[in-house]
Structures are given as C-alpha cells and as structure tokens.
Amino acid sequence: NISYVAVSRADGKEYVIRATKDSWPAEKVECEMACIRLMRTLTSLPVPTPLCWDASAAQFGCRWILMEKMEGRVMDAEEFDALPEPQRAALIDQMVGFIEELQALKWESTGSFFPSATAAEAAGRAAVTVGPYFDGNHGPFHSAQEFATGMLRSSVAAAEEKPALKPLLPHATRAKVLLEHLASGTVQLPDMPIVAFHGDFSLRNMLVQGEGADLRISALLDWEWGGAKPAYCEWADCSFGDPSAANSQAFQAEAERRGLICQSSPGFAE
C-alpha cells in the first residue's frame, strides 16, 4: 500500500488517500472498509473515518480509500523500548485495552468482514457479513479445530505447488503428519472463542501523540487483514517481519491479568 496526504484547497483540511495495487483483489478494500465501519460503531478504538473508496481500480488504475487524516506520528520499536517505564506501561495498558475490546466481539465463524447487502442503512453487526478470507478464499470455519485444519491444509498445498515456497518443502512432511492428526481428531485443540481480529497489530500501524505523561496512542490503522479468527491468532500471526506489539512479556502479563487469551493453542505443542 502507498498512502498520500491530500490537502483541501477550500479549507486546508488534510485527508489520507490509501492506494493499493490492482494485483490485490477488490475484496481487500471492501474488507478494510467493512472492518473500519464495524470498529467505529461497536468499539471505542481510535480508527479513521472513511469517506469514500473505489474497489474496482477502474478510475485511476488502483484501488483506493479516502479517509480523514488522524493526528500523531509513528513510534518504532527502538523508541518504544527506550521509553521510561511509566510511559511504556501506559501505552501497553492502552494496547491491551484495544485487544480487550476486540475479544469482546464474539462471532460464530472465522473469516473476513464484508459489507452486507444492507450496509448503507445498517449499523454494527448488521452492516457486515463474514465470508472467506480475501487473501486465499479460506473458510469460513466454525471452530478453532476446523480453522487450524483448513489453514494448515492450504499452507501445505501452497508449499508443494508454488516454486517460491520450495524452501518450505522439507517442513511439509511433518506438517502433513500434524494435518492428519487434526483432521482425524487424534489431536484436539482446546475450545477457543472466535473474536474480532486486527491482523497486523504492530507499532507501525499505530500513531502516538503527546509527550511525557501525556503520551498516548491516537490511532490504530491498517485494517485490511481484520476479520474474525480464534482468539490466539492476534499473537500467532507474524507481522511481515515487524514484531507484533503484543508479543512483549509486559503485554502478555497484563493481558493474562485481565483474563484475555493471548497464547497460541497448546494443542500444537502436544
């Protein structure tokens, strides 16, 4: 994705145009829009206000979303780690609060969020439907067991079929053994609620504002990977080489203190 800041000639107000290549499916933009709207109506998370979008790529040769610009700046991991303990703890408390709100939203099946047929008139849950994940047409799945089985089966097939994934082939044999156990039920994963999911919960997708004791997270961005998944997935998903903001020991301790699910399912280790 590439983001541009657009300034209104009428009043000087700033907006963000988020453009994505047309090699991505149109569903990518539709899912992000549905997810942002859902978060705006069902949570207090600091998410952008979307104004309009085009998922067709017909007008400018790319898919795009226009939204209001949110105030703040990106804080990288090095700056975050160097913060005095009280400031770092305050930001972690805020991040855990975000996950707490997401995990409070329970769903019957996993998948990406899509605008419902009545999205223009509806609000909240009625404005979205859950469908297959846009980046692989996986699911929907109705349990953590079904989700793990389906996603692992897809990953094994991709490793065997795609030349770019050839280095993963040595791991495919072991993965197939696990897949057989999951599919037959000889390995049973614990029950896990299916909850709302950000999918790229990293510092680069957050903006911060203020200094010292007033430092706070002012925006949580980039909802294209959002949807519904088993609760452990916010931690288990890698974030394109950028560590998840939720993987620090301090975050895990605070999340566990609040009773949130924040570890990968123990069934895999067994």
Side-chain angles (χ1 to χ4, degrees):
N1 301 304
I2 302 177
S3 295
Y4 301 91
V5 175
V7 182
S8 169
R9 293 178 178 175
D11 57 10
K13 189 172 182 178
E14 294 184 323
Y15 302 88
V16 169
I17 301 172
R18 178 174 162 84
T20 187
K21 295 186 294 185
D22 61 2
S23 56
W24 282 105
E27 289 83 1
K28 177 178 180 288
V29 170
E30 294 171 356
C31 291
E32 182 160 16
M33 288 299 305
C35 206
I36 290 175
R37 285 182 161 182
L38 189 71
M39 295 304 118
R40 287 186 61 82
T41 57
L42 294 184
T43 76
S44 63
L45 300 181
V47 299
T49 300
L51 301 173
C52 56
W53 70 97
D54 179 12
S56 71
Q59 187 173 10
F60 300 115
C62 65
R63 314 187 196 284
W64 55 269
I65 301 173
L66 175 67
M67 61 190 82
E68 292 186 353
K69 184 176 180 290
M70 300 189 74
E71 297 299 323
R73 60 182 178 83
V74 176
M75 173 181 287
D76 61 26
E78 184 177 353
E79 183 182 359
F80 177 79
D81 291 340
L83 288 173
E85 178 57 31
Q87 294 176 31
R88 189 166 62 250
L91 292 186
I92 287 174
D93 181 72
Q94 201 176 354
M95 292 179 197
V96 173
F98 295 163
I99 299 296
E100 196 167 29
E101 288 201 62
L102 288 171
Q103 290 197 359
L105 299 177
K106 304 293 196 298
W107 301 86
E108 296 295 322
S109 60
T110 70
S112 290
F113 295 136
F114 292 89
S116 69
T118 59
E121 298 79 24
R125 288 176 180 266
V128 302
T129 59
V130 177
Y133 294 111
F134 78 83
D135 61 325
N137 203 32
H138 311 302
F141 304 111
H142 298 87
S143 69
Q145 183 88 8
E146 190 179 324
F147 170 82
T149 304
M151 296 302 286
L152 185 58
R153 180 177 287 115
S154 175
S155 297
V156 169
E160 292 178 332
E161 296 168 5
K162 296 183 178 181
L165 299 180
K166 188 176 180 180
L168 297 178
L169 276 177
H171 304 285
T173 300
R174 295 179 62 192
K176 284 182 177 179
V177 173
L178 175 57
L179 180 57
E180 290 174 3
H181 285 299
L182 287 169
S184 66
T186 54
V187 169
Q188 281 288 332
L189 303 185
D191 286 338
M192 189 78 58
I194 295 171
V195 300
F197 170 84
H198 179 275
D200 197 0
F201 197 75
S202 55
L203 287 171
R204 71 165 182 269
N205 288 326
M206 302 178 194
L207 300 180
V208 298
Q209 197 172 26
E211 301 293 338
D214 296 324
L215 183 67
R216 63 181 180 83
I217 299 169
S218 57
L220 182 57
L221 309 172
D222 195 3
W223 286 89
E224 63 191 352
W225 301 102
K229 283 188 177 182
Y232 70 84
C233 288
E234 198 74 76
W235 287 263
D237 274 42
C238 61
S239 185
F240 306 100
D242 186 9
S244 169
N247 279 338
S248 71
Q249 290 184 349
F251 189 106
Q252 299 278 345
E254 176 60 19
E256 290 174 3
R257 186 187 70 78
R258 298 196 196 183
L260 302 181
I261 295 173
C262 60
Q263 294 292 341
S264 297
S265 183
F268 285 110
E270 297 168 4

